[in-house]
Amino acid sequence: MKRLWFSPPDIPEGAYITVYRSVFTVESDRRVSFDFSADERAQLFLDGKRLIDGPERGAPEHWYFQRASFEVAGGTHTLTVRVLSFGFCKWAFGQLSVRHGFWIDEKSGILNNWECQIEDGCTFEAGFPDWGVFPRVHLTKEHNPLILEGKGGIWQKPVVFEDERELFPPDLPLMRYERIVPQDKGNGLFYFPEYVCAWAEYRFSGRGRVKIRWSETPYLDEKFNLDHLKGNKGRRDGKFFVGNFDTFEIDGELHWFDYWWHAGHYCQILTEGEVTVQAEYFRTGYPYEGFVPADKLEKMAFETLQACSFETYMDCPYYEQLMYIGDSRIEAVCSRLISSDDRLPRKALKLLSLSQQPDGSLLSQYPSRSKQVIPSFMLIWVLMLHDHFKANGKDALTLELLVRAGRLMEFMKSQEVDGLISVKGWNFIDWCNGGNWDYGTPPGGAVNSIINFFYVLALQAMAEISGSSACQKKAQELLALLREKFFDREQGFYAIDTEHRFYSEHSQVLALLAEDDHLLAENLRKNGEKLVPCSIYFSFYYFQACLKYGMDDLAEKRLDNYRALENQGLTTLPEEFENPRSDCHAWSSHILAYLLNKKR
């Protein structure tokens, strides 16, 4: 279905923001309701006051519209719509775009007089070190301070064009928008005791410059690894902040609304000249309701899940804000344990499937501006579908995605050589220290037991979902081949490689989940210390194995790694146990799943 969208008559090169306005009059108090969409994203204001943002994040194949409704008093009002267009610069990796535009459907006809204006006086640069998010802004004195009220500047008639994309109604409730007040630490530093994702609203007055940046934590010194985006964090009580600023040149009065939220514990506001700043902050994120953590570790895990749950799941709210399969499966498991609301797990499962390539493979992250391939994540998506099936049976979503899962498994079959798969891409498994692991990739070559055990688990999942005896038979044959090629009888463990040079917990954990093997479980209990251990991400599967075999002693010992994090000044769980880049990382929330399942 073709719809009429708006765009500015003269589109600038590079990144830009367009504000649309409709001045309308109503004779008496009434409610105004409409649907709208935007590419890339919009914020709506009524007479300069924020109303709503949207549409919720989707993909070109599944673009959303948002519903809006508000009360107005009799008289003349101005509705403004601020639309972001950053995609051509490859900023905000998780926000995709087809082409700039704004669409609205208001049945009564009172919002039919539209004009637009480019938000001039704005220049942009990529975020650092949080490279995957929306860009920083530099606001000059040429900026129109009244533009969101629909005043000032030169307003033009927009161009109308036809857009053929299908628009889908919202899948999710509105995200939270709750006022929060940070602690004032002095010298322009504000601290949020809980890790937050927050929209900010500022009132500047005077003449001078204001610089604002957000951070998860200060560092102990000025040394910062530009390649790995890491510094010395210590107990999160350092004095040095890293990152570039949003910058505002102030000459009078300015009421500024950030066009995207920020994440972390700290907001730093530095001023030059005679300028004052008033700030308000509003927490956002998925509106989880009703869960009360039982202890500090549960609270850290839940706070991590909260900060990584928005209109999609995210790997980390500060650095990338990307929905990866490996993280999302863990987040969906946790979401289902704390709430009967499964709208976000459903949406994540479907959006990730939309990355399917012509050969049947899946991308590791979607929606995303990059096309990254992580073979193990493809198979984990099948496990994610199986999680949904166990919770919902063969509902409409299961049946829809089962077709895509079948195409994915056909792709995997095409990657077999002598019965074992080896798939091109970044063969990431886990951030392991030592043991010759290279950037998350296990040693010994592309043909390894870990990815093939994931293949077994995916075949078993497909057999259960579809009732396919062929998948079950293939899984049994592959298990036998894995024992023949990788199992070391002297060691009593599976090697990573066929030459039996490298060993880690990962192969054992997946083998234990793939079949009942109490001898292997007992050997892991007695002799597992000789293996390269799972880091924080893959410990999700480690704890699954502990639950299956009642290995409470191993689980308690592994929990010590998480309890140690409690004493590092953290309120969330980080990307790695040691020297993490991110202090809040989705996959680390999995400890919540273990703690809650243990109580059952």
Side-chain angles (χ1 to χ4, degrees):
M1 175 182 177
K2 294 182 179 179
R3 292 179 171 86
L4 298 180
W5 288 54
F6 296 139
S7 71
D10 299 306
I11 296 178
E13 293 185 3
Y16 64 99
I17 299 175
T18 307
V19 177
Y20 297 86
R21 76 173 181 184
S22 177
V23 180
F24 64 97
T25 302
V26 293
E27 295 181 357
S28 59
D29 296 358
R30 62 166 291 179
R31 175 165 289 276
V32 178
S33 301
F34 54 88
D35 296 336
F36 73 93
S37 190
D39 187 340
E40 300 167 7
R41 185 88 187 190
Q43 294 171 295
L44 275 62
F45 301 85
L46 179 65
D47 302 328
K49 295 181 179 179
R50 181 191 184 277
L51 284 176
I52 192 173
D53 68 286
E56 74 177 62
R57 179 165 288 180
E61 306 90 340
H62 198 91
W63 203 270
Y64 291 94
F65 67 81
Q66 189 67 55
R67 293 190 168 101
S69 184
F70 55 89
E71 295 284 346
V72 291
T76 299
H77 302 275
T78 303
L79 178 69
T80 55
V81 182
R82 182 200 227 179
V83 179
L84 310 181
S85 297
F86 297 142
F88 303 106
C89 302
K90 292 190 176 180
W91 289 325
F93 272 64
Q95 177 64 59
L96 297 186
S97 173
V98 178
R99 61 171 291 184
H100 169 92
F102 167 61
W103 170 83
I104 186 168
D105 180 21
E106 194 277 321
K107 303 297 185 185
S108 75
I110 64 170
L111 299 176
N112 60 1
N113 180 27
W114 286 95
E115 298 174 295
C116 66
Q117 182 179 152
I118 301 296
E119 193 162 357
D120 288 328
C122 302
T123 60
F124 305 95
E125 64 175 327
F128 172 81
D130 46 336
W131 57 269
V133 303
F134 278 100
R136 303 287 196 267
V137 63
H138 183 174
L139 211 68
T140 69
K141 295 177 182 179
E142 285 69 40
H143 176 263
N144 174 9
L146 301 178
I147 191 169
L148 295 183
E149 298 177 34
K151 301 175 183 177
I154 300 173
W155 296 86
Q156 299 176 290
K157 285 292 183 182
V159 172
V160 178
F161 67 93
E162 290 187 343
D163 192 293
E164 296 185 353
R165 80 185 85 179
E166 184 176 1
L167 296 179
F168 293 86
D171 279 330
L172 306 179
L174 292 177
M175 298 298 103
R176 301 163 74 184
Y177 194 79
E178 303 161 356
R179 190 170 186 268
I180 51 174
V181 180
Q183 298 174 4
D184 187 345
K185 296 291 187 179
N187 297 318
L189 188 62
F190 299 89
Y191 174 72
F192 297 87
E194 288 189 357
Y195 192 108
V196 297
C197 301
W199 294 93
E201 179 181 341
Y202 302 100
R203 292 183 183 273
F204 305 112
S205 61
R207 287 172 175 78
R209 173 183 292 184
V210 181
K211 300 196 301 181
I212 302 174
R213 67 178 168 186
W214 286 70
S215 180
E216 290 189 316
T217 188
Y219 296 85
L220 295 180
D221 53 46
E222 294 179 285
K223 297 178 182 177
F224 191 77
N225 187 309
L226 298 178
D227 294 323
H228 299 287
L229 303 180
K230 292 182 178 182
N232 300 319
K233 292 185 174 180
R235 290 179 50 81
R236 277 69 180 178
D237 55 357
K239 303 298 182 183
F240 297 93
F241 287 89
V242 173
N244 52 3
F245 295 85
D246 287 318
T247 304
F248 304 88
E249 307 288 345
I250 307 302
D251 186 16
E253 304 286 331
L254 173 63
H255 189 184
W256 173 263
F257 296 81
D258 274 350
Y259 49 74
W260 192 248
W261 49 265
H262 292 82
H265 277 292
Y266 293 90
C267 180
Q268 186 181 34
I269 304 177
L270 305 179
T271 61
E272 302 170 8
E274 299 297 323
V275 60
T276 61
V277 182
Q278 292 179 305
E280 287 188 284
Y281 304 95
F282 301 87
R283 180 196 295 272
T284 191
Y286 195 83
Y288 290 115
E289 301 289 345
F291 177 73
V292 179
D295 55 35
K296 185 176 180 181
L297 191 53
E298 276 192 16
K299 185 178 186 303
M300 291 176 73
F302 178 56
E303 192 173 311
T304 304
L305 177 66
Q306 277 190 309
C308 297
S309 301
F310 186 63
E311 295 166 356
T312 64
Y313 288 125
M314 299 177 290
D315 63 328
C316 51
Y318 184 77
Y319 282 94
E320 298 179 39
Q321 301 176 9
L322 286 170
M323 184 161 67
Y324 285 82
I325 294 173
D327 302 76
S328 296
R329 186 202 176 193
I330 291 168
E331 291 173 280
V333 167
C334 292
S335 293
R336 289 194 178 96
L337 284 169
I338 66 169
S339 175
S340 60
D341 175 6
D342 72 344
R343 286 174 287 183
L344 186 53
R346 283 175 173 272
K347 178 183 177 182
L349 183 61
K350 181 164 183 174
L351 275 187
L352 289 166
S353 77
L354 295 179
S355 76
Q356 191 158 53
Q357 303 297 291
D359 62 4
S361 64
L362 294 180
L363 302 179
S364 64
Q365 49 180 247
Y366 200 73
S368 174
R369 299 193 190 279
S370 67
K371 286 195 171 184
Q372 184 191 69
V373 174
I374 299 179
S376 64
F377 281 20
M378 298 184 204
L379 296 165
I380 290 171
W381 180 83
V382 180
L383 304 185
M384 191 176 177
L385 176 60
H386 185 244
D387 296 337
H388 173 84
F389 167 75
K390 288 191 295 183
N392 299 279
K394 283 193 175 181
D395 66 353
L397 183 59
T398 299
L399 293 175
E400 175 188 348
L401 299 185
L402 189 56
V403 177
R404 294 176 190 165
R407 291 185 59 214
L408 172 59
M409 296 307 285
E410 285 296 320
F411 166 77
M412 286 295 169
K413 185 178 180 181
S414 72
Q415 305 302 298
E416 290 181 15
V417 178
D418 296 328
L420 298 171
I421 60 169
S422 173
V423 185
K424 293 181 179 179
W426 178 25
N427 277 284
F428 173 84
I429 294 295
D430 196 14
W431 291 126
C432 289
N433 293 319
N436 296 302
W437 287 60
D438 180 26
Y439 199 60
T441 301
V447 179
N448 65 69
S449 61
I450 303 172
I451 187 69
N452 279 280
F453 272 120
F454 268 128
Y455 190 23
V456 170
L457 291 168
L459 286 164
Q460 292 173 338
M462 286 293 290
E464 187 174 344
I465 299 170
S466 65
S468 168
S469 58
C471 284
Q472 188 61 46
K473 181 181 178 183
K474 174 66 177 176
Q476 292 301 318
E477 291 172 348
L478 183 52
L479 278 172
L481 184 59
L482 287 168
R483 178 164 284 271
E484 174 191 337
K485 296 288 187 181
F486 295 97
F487 191 72
D488 187 314
R489 287 179 172 78
E490 183 178 341
Q491 298 273 1
F493 289 124
Y494 285 92
I496 296 175
D497 61 318
T498 55
E499 296 181 6
H500 297 193
R501 295 170 295 166
F502 306 104
Y503 297 82
S504 75
E505 289 179 344
H506 306 72
S507 303
Q508 325 316 318
V509 166
L510 296 184
L512 290 171
L513 294 175
E515 60 179 340
D516 293 332
D517 191 338
H518 291 275
L519 288 177
L520 179 59
E522 186 62 24
N523 195 32
L524 183 63
R525 177 182 280 117
K526 291 181 178 179
N527 302 304
E529 291 185 358
K530 66 176 67 174
L531 302 169
V532 173
C534 300
S535 187
I536 200 166
Y537 158 55
F538 217 88
S539 290
F540 170 70
Y541 299 97
Y542 185 92
F543 281 115
Q544 280 191 319
C546 289
L547 284 170
K548 178 178 177 179
Y549 291 88
M551 297 187 293
D552 294 350
D553 52 340
L554 293 188
E556 279 298 312
K557 188 173 182 179
R558 185 57 52 90
L559 278 172
D560 289 341
N561 293 337
Y562 296 81
R563 295 184 179 115
L565 296 172
E566 297 179 17
N567 301 316
Q568 291 185 15
L570 290 162
T571 67
T572 51
L573 296 171
E575 185 174 7
E576 302 172 67
F577 285 124
E578 298 179 7
N579 192 29
R581 174 193 60 151
S582 169
D583 274 0
C584 180
H585 211 86
W587 62 33
S588 305
S589 65
H590 70 78
I591 196 63
L592 184 63
Y594 172 74
L595 295 172
L596 295 180
N597 278 317
K598 185 64 180 172
K599 295 175 183 179
R600 293 187 169 188

